[in-house]
Amino acid sequence: MADRSLRGMRLGAQSLQSEEGVSFSPRVNHSYRCGTCGRDTVMTFSAEAEAPEAWECKHCGHEASLIVDSKPVVIDHSEDKIARTHWDMLLERRTIEELEELLEERLVALRARRGTQKVSV
C-alpha cells in the first residue's frame, strides 16, 4: 500500500514538511562598505551574533568595513601578522655578501661540470 502512495512523486525534489509551527530565530542586517569600489554589501546575521568588523565585498572581493551610525568602522591592522617570504627568511640567516659568495661558488661548480670553465693564466 505504501508503494502506491509514493507512485508518481519526485523523491528528493519536494519536501513533505511544512513550515507550520516553525519559529525562526531573530535576524539582523548589517551593512558593509567597500573602500575600493564604494559599494555597500548587506549581510544577515543572527541577532545574538556579533557582527565582524570586516567582510569580503561581494562585488570586487576586497575588504569592506562595517557601517555603524552611517560611518565605516576603522579597523586596526597594527597587530596583523605580516607574511614572511622565503627571501625574508633567507636574509635572517645570511648577509648579501655571503649569498653572493655562495652564488659564485655554485656558478664555478656548474661551469666546471659543463666543461665551460674559463682557465685564468
Side-chain angles (χ1 to χ4, degrees), residues 1-120:
M1 201 52 136
D3 293 334
R4 291 185 188 170
S5 64
L6 294 177
R7 186 174 295 159
M9 179 77 174
R10 293 175 292 185
L11 293 177
Q14 293 176 328
S15 174
L16 299 175
Q17 288 183 327
S18 67
E19 294 183 6
E20 187 176 317
V22 175
S23 59
F24 295 102
S25 63
R27 303 283 180 198
V28 103
N29 290 331
H30 292 286
S31 295
Y32 293 87
R33 181 165 296 138
C34 181
T36 305
C37 69
R39 292 182 172 172
D40 288 350
T41 302
V42 178
M43 298 301 300
T44 304
F45 294 97
S46 170
E48 300 170 357
E50 184 178 331
E53 292 181 341
W55 197 263
E56 182 178 319
C57 176
K58 67 179 180 181
H59 302 285
C60 68
H62 288 90
E63 186 177 88
S65 300
L66 178 66
I67 297 175
V68 175
D69 298 329
S70 71
K71 294 181 183 177
V73 173
V74 178
I75 301 169
D76 182 24
H77 291 289
S78 63
E79 294 184 15
D80 289 351
K81 191 173 185 178
I82 299 171
R84 295 186 318 176
T85 64
H86 294 291
W87 180 250
D88 294 333
M89 289 186 266
L90 181 65
L91 288 179
E92 290 175 5
R93 296 188 309 269
R94 308 239 190 224
T95 65
I96 297 291
E97 292 79 23
E98 290 174 327
L99 292 172
E100 287 175 351
E101 183 180 328
L102 287 171
L103 174 64
E104 189 58 40
E105 287 176 13
R106 293 307 304 154
L107 287 175
V108 167
L110 276 171
R111 289 177 184 140
R113 193 170 44 170
R114 287 184 182 171
T116 59
Q117 176 68 33
K118 295 180 181 178
V119 179
S120 57

